């Protein structure tokens, strides 16, 4: 589904990603972990081209994405959920979800509304469709953000620390929505510190450090028997 | 007591003139603010552009306008360039006021747009929106809402600054007051009266802006929160 070949990204003199190779299969759930500044968020942002890599190649569904590719079309197919939700505060929950299908895809308003209502029911927010984002809790906001991304019917969903800005008691409801999504077969790449989620849902856990993938594996193996000493140290700190 | 009889006599003698003058003040303010808002939008766009030359043009405009007194700009446009283009006083006044406020409004718009969290544009783009669509649908509406209080402030300044076109013989409120006190020798009462006129106009305008602000405030919507 997604292939990353020799991807590198620098900000000025700072090399954030160094020759990353990564392949994600359809319906696979990949969890990216790593310390602050390890490059995990940058990698995610490169995958939907919010950051443009300096070198390397990204293939989506076997097709290489180059200068000639319309990135807007790519982003339609690569959903992204942000740490700080980034809901549109001047639009209701329903309008947030309907916005892109109508104005990007040209979906008929009634159809977009029906789809949005279905998605909002799916994330448990049927009762809140006419609220404005400022009247929602963090967990509710993040669930709206997930529904908003899903409305574009993406092939893959990227999650950039989706629960890091939440109060602890609100983390569960967001993770539950993500679990449901994974069980439905959505391809997901998740940057998170929620090791419980990784252990339970991930097909593969990848550890990044200093812009390099230092270790990856199935969570059973990864968590019980980490090979790299940096992984061991990281897991000790976080668990 | 004499004060009140004097005021009354001003209304008797100059009441119609003040009424017509109010209309001129309101209309020259309206025209100038329309010009100013259009200039503001365009110049804010130039300032936010990634093209250096356009930034330079915007900086030059804002620098010159903010760096020189409004009265000089008004005089320049009416008398200064009369040898090349002869503008009638209303037109010269409206353009001068508009070009002047435009510089400030451009900065208000630019600041408002820049104050919108970058995450908004990123979220919109991550949904496949082209940047122009994302700006139009997501960033500008939020920026406009945020600009309303400063915009209202600038509009009130514009309304009061319109008194300066009295000096190029637009017979608006202040000009009318000048001529009235020349006839009645009651500067205290005459300027007091014209002050009241401006005060009432500003109060009406403040009410309108408050309504606009409320209309854009989604945080006090008609929809009641149901727990």
């Amino acid at each position: 589904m997604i292939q990353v070949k020799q991807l590198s990204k620098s900000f000025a003199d700072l090399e954030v990603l160094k020759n990353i190779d990564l392949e994600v299969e359809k319906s696979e759930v990949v969890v990216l972990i790593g310390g602050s500044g390890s490059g995990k968020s940058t990698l995610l942002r490169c995958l939907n081209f919010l950051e443009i890599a300096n070198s390397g190649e990204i293939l989506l569904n076997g097709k290489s994405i180059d200068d000639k590719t319309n990135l807007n079309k790519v982003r339609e197919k690569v959903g992204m959920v942000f740490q700080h939700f980034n809901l549109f505060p001047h639009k209701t929950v329903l309008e947030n979800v309907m916005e892109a299908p109508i104005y990007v895809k040209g979906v008929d308003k009634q159809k977009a509304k029906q789809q949005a209502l279905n998605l909002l029911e799916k994330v448990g927010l049927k009762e809140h469709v006419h609220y404005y984002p400022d009247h929602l809790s963090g967990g509710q906001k993040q669930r709206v953000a997930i529904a908003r991304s899903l409305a574009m019917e993406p092939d893959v969903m990227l999650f950039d620390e989706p629960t890091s800005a939440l109060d602890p008691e609100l983390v569960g409801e967001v993770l539950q929505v993500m679990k449901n999504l994974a069980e439905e077969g959505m391809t997901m790449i998740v940057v998170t510190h929620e090791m419980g989620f990784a252990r339970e849902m991930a097909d593969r856990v990848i550890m990044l450090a200093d812009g390099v993938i230092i270790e990856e594996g199935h969570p059973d193996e990864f968590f019980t028997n980490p090979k790299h000493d940096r992984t061991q140290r990281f897991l000790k700190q976080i668990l | 007591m004499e004060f009140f009889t004097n005021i009354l006599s001003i209304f008797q003698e100059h009441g119609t003139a003040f009424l017509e003058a109010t209309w001129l003040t309101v209309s020259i303010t309206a025209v100038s603010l329309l010009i100013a808002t259009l200039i503001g939008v365009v110049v804010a766009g130039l300032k936010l552009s990634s093209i250096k030359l356009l930034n330079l043009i915007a900086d030059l405009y804002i620098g010159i306008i903010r760096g020189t007194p409004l009265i000089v700009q008004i005089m320049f446009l009416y008398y200064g360039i009369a040898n090349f283009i002869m503008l009638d006083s209303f037109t010269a006044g409206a353009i001068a006021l508009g070009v002047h406020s435009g510089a400030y409004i451009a900065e208000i718009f630019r600041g408002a747009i820049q104050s919108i969290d970058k995450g908004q544009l990123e979220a919109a783009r991550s949904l496949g929106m082209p940047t122009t669509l994302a700006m139009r649908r997501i960033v500008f509406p939020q920026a406009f809402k945020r600009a309303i209080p400063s915009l209202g402030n600038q509009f009130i300044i514009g309304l009061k600054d319109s008194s300066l076109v009295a000096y190029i013989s637009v017979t608006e409120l202040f000009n009318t007051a000048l001529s009235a006190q020349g006839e009645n020798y009651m500067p205290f009462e005459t300027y007091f009266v014209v002050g009241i006129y401006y005060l009432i106009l500003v109060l009406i305008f403040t009410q309108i802006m408050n309504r606009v602000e409320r209309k854009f405030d989604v945080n006090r919507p008609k929809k009641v929160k149901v727990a």
Side-chain angles (χ1 to χ4, degrees), chain A residues 63-227:
Chain A
K63 261 185 279 179
S64 176
I65 293 155
D66 55 27
D67 301 347
K68 290 174 210 104
T69 319
N70 182 347
L71 292 182
N72 295 321
K73 290 280 163 216
V74 175
R75 293 198 193 98
E76 283 181 37
K77 290 286 138 203
V78 183
M80 178 113 175
V81 173
F82 300 87
Q83 181 177 357
H84 295 288
F85 332 122
N86 299 351
L87 292 182
F88 307 136
H90 59 308
K91 294 181 180 298
T92 63
V93 165
L94 187 63
E95 288 164 349
N96 263 275
V97 181
M98 290 165 64
E99 178 72 18
I102 292 174
Y103 290 94
V104 177
K105 270 188 175 174
V107 175
D108 167 73
K109 258 199 179 124
Q110 275 310 311
K111 231 178 116 184
K113 186 177 175 185
Q114 199 47 56
Q115 183 209 23
L117 288 171
N118 291 343
L119 284 168
L120 286 166
E121 183 168 10
K122 201 168 129 181
V123 298
L125 290 169
K126 209 175 86 181
E127 317 289 315
H128 299 76
V129 294
H130 295 304
Y131 280 37
Y132 282 93
D134 281 356
H135 292 151
L136 301 179
S137 72
Q140 291 170 330
K141 282 185 199 171
Q142 196 60 296
R143 286 185 281 148
V144 175
I146 293 172
R148 179 177 68 175
S149 266
L150 291 175
M152 290 304 283
E153 298 170 325
D155 293 334
V156 53
M157 286 282 283
L158 310 175
F159 293 85
D160 189 5
E161 303 203 29
T163 58
S164 298
L166 298 179
D167 288 336
E169 78 272 19
L170 302 176
V171 169
E173 62 191 63
V174 172
L175 291 181
Q176 189 54 51
V177 168
M178 290 167 66
K179 281 177 194 168
N180 296 345
L181 210 53
E183 273 155 13
E184 284 169 24
M186 175 60 77
T187 311
M188 293 163 63
I189 305 176
V190 184
V191 171
T192 187
H193 297 295
E194 292 296 327
M195 293 304 135
F197 176 84
R199 205 172 291 200
E200 191 182 342
M201 299 311 295
D203 297 301
R204 191 153 40 116
V205 181
I206 293 176
M207 170 82 187
L208 273 155
D210 299 329
V212 180
I213 293 178
I214 59 167
E215 184 166 356
E216 61 180 300
H218 190 274
D220 293 344
E221 176 71 12
F222 187 93
F223 286 113
T224 47
N225 193 15
K227 303 214 168 37

Side-chain angles (χ1 to χ4, degrees), chain A residues 45 75 87 99 131 134, chain B residues 119-120 122 125 137 219 226:
Chain A
R45 291 165 61 82
R75 293 198 193 98
L87 292 182
E99 178 72 18
Y131 280 37
D134 281 356
Chain B
Q120 289 291 309
E122 286 190 347
R125 285 171 64 213
R137 296 279 316 165
N219 288 327
V226 216

Side-chain angles (χ1 to χ4, degrees), chain A residues 36-52:
Chain A
S36 166
S38 60
K40 52 196 193 314
S41 281
T42 305
L43 175 56
L44 215 57
R45 291 165 61 82
C46 283
L47 292 180
N48 78 345
F49 300 91
L50 285 177
E51 303 289 352
I52 304 297

